[in-house]
Amino acid sequence: MTEDPTVTYQGPERVLSGVQPSGDLHLGNYLGALKKFVDLQHRYETFIFVADLHAITVWQDPKLLAAQTREIAAAYLASGLDPQKAAIFPQSAVTAHAELAWIFNCVARLGWLDRMTQFKDKAGKHKERASVGLYTYPVLQAADILVYKATHVPVGEDQKQHLELTRDIAGKFNHDFDAPGFFPLTEPLIQGPGARIMSLRDGQAKMSKSDPSEQSRINLLDDADAIAQKIRRAKTDPEPLPEAVEGLAGRPEADNLVGIYGALANRTKAEVLADFGGKGFGVFKPALADVAVEVLVPIGQRMRQLLTDPAELDRILESGADRARAVADPVIAETKRIVGFWGA
Ligand code: TYM
């Protein structure tokens, strides 16, 4: 059951998103998420966190986790997030996320979670050995979003199902507790050529941190030689590039490389093909490598520089957490009152 759709959320518009500190960030994370955060911070009140609670749904070395968290913060800043505009913080520093997640565990239905494809992919064949946290992971994600009453969430396409679940949870909470419009029905911001970047080795597989092949992805910390070499070796087909976008159908690797060029150069695939249609990959790949190096190498350099001063990164994370708590704490307090908890 969902809420009455005629009663809509009236609060301010807010953007929220996060990235897990569990492995090197790659081009898919940058184009699907970080680049969008940077654009949105100028238009909305923006909350961008490091999803360390989500990271521990699979084993993380306690000796490395805090450093991995700083590394994501450095990637945010190096990509252009401004800590004066966006609140940048570790998820675990704002306890309201976990509190709301528990309440939502009691709102979400088992059947809803059973349909989540990412759990099936991540748990693999041995589902009974996966952590319970991995299973309820999308419920925590809904809490991350709704504890700020975020109205817009920029993510890559792989998060679409989790965003749909977030809307279902918001609607059911509002309905069950007779609190129409309390939580917004959040809009995912997924569109654009960067929403689904595929592996450089297989145009049918998503570019992913967990792919065993380093050649499948470009990492944000790769240097110019590594970037150019990975693009040179990227899988392609023998045909020249088509003149029009329709000609990319059935050519997943060509489609992916044209999409990456477009996303990096802020151009549509049609515009890229207007320049490169009829040309072979011998011409296109070096041009793509040039654009990728131009965009990514300065980000990697800035990240390295930021990581030399962990105390400054910690100051940014602490002040971001203060700003996040100032919004999240009243929302969790009000939620507890709505649920009827003692003393709330
Ligand atoms: P994570 O850490 O797996 O990925 C971070 C962001 O990168 C996007 N992404 C991609 N986009 C395009 N092409 C790809 N190949 C690609 N691979 C990854 C993801 O879609 C994501 O936007 N569950 C989230 C983290 C999270 C979150 C949230 C996000 C936790 N709570 C609340 C938004 C709102 C995750 O694991 O992302």
Side-chain angles (χ1 to χ4, degrees), residues 72-256:
I72 302 293
Y76 288 158
L77 297 166
S79 302
L81 271 186
D82 174 357
Q84 305 298 329
K85 291 209 158 83
I88 299 171
F89 59 99
Q91 186 185 24
S92 61
V94 183
T95 54
H97 290 240
E99 278 189 88
L100 187 59
W102 179 258
I103 294 172
F104 284 172
N105 269 326
C106 303
V107 173
R109 304 290 92 178
L110 217 49
W112 299 358
L113 287 182
D114 278 342
R115 286 197 288 275
M116 295 293 119
T117 53
Q118 203 167 77
F119 174 75
K120 289 177 201 158
D121 293 347
K122 287 198 178 171
K125 288 197 193 81
H126 301 291
K127 164 163 128 35
E128 62 289 346
R129 282 192 228 151
S131 73
V132 176
L134 189 66
Y135 187 72
T136 62
Y137 175 122
V139 176
L140 175 60
Q141 185 159 348
D144 299 334
I145 295 166
L146 294 172
V147 83
Y148 301 93
K149 299 192 174 184
T151 50
H152 298 83
V153 174
V155 278
E157 204 173 273
D158 59 350
Q159 299 298 315
K160 190 166 178 238
Q161 208 185 21
H162 294 163
L163 271 287
E164 284 162 5
L165 182 90
T166 301
R167 291 167 67 95
D168 288 343
I169 291 176
K172 186 165 164 56
F173 180 96
N174 292 351
H175 174 273
D176 289 0
F177 291 98
D178 195 17
F182 180 67
F183 286 121
L185 301 184
T186 307
E187 290 291 335
L189 299 176
I190 299 182
Q191 61 283 8
R196 191 165 168 78
I197 302 297
M198 309 308 279
S199 157
L200 298 180
R201 304 301 306 161
D202 175 359
Q204 320 262 18
K206 192 181 73 166
M207 185 177 286
S208 155
K209 293 172 191 167
S210 54
D211 192 317
S213 166
E214 269 296 317
Q215 296 298 319
S216 70
R217 63 182 162 263
I218 295 173
N219 293 318
L220 282 191
L221 287 171
D222 281 349
D223 62 21
D225 286 347
I227 295 171
Q229 188 233 58
K230 286 177 183 179
I231 290 175
R232 215 168 32 243
R233 293 193 189 158
K235 189 178 166 197
T236 47
D237 56 40
E239 303 298 320
L241 285 172
E243 305 283 345
V245 177
E246 298 74 56
L248 292 169
R251 299 180 63 186
E253 284 82 17
D255 189 17
N256 187 38

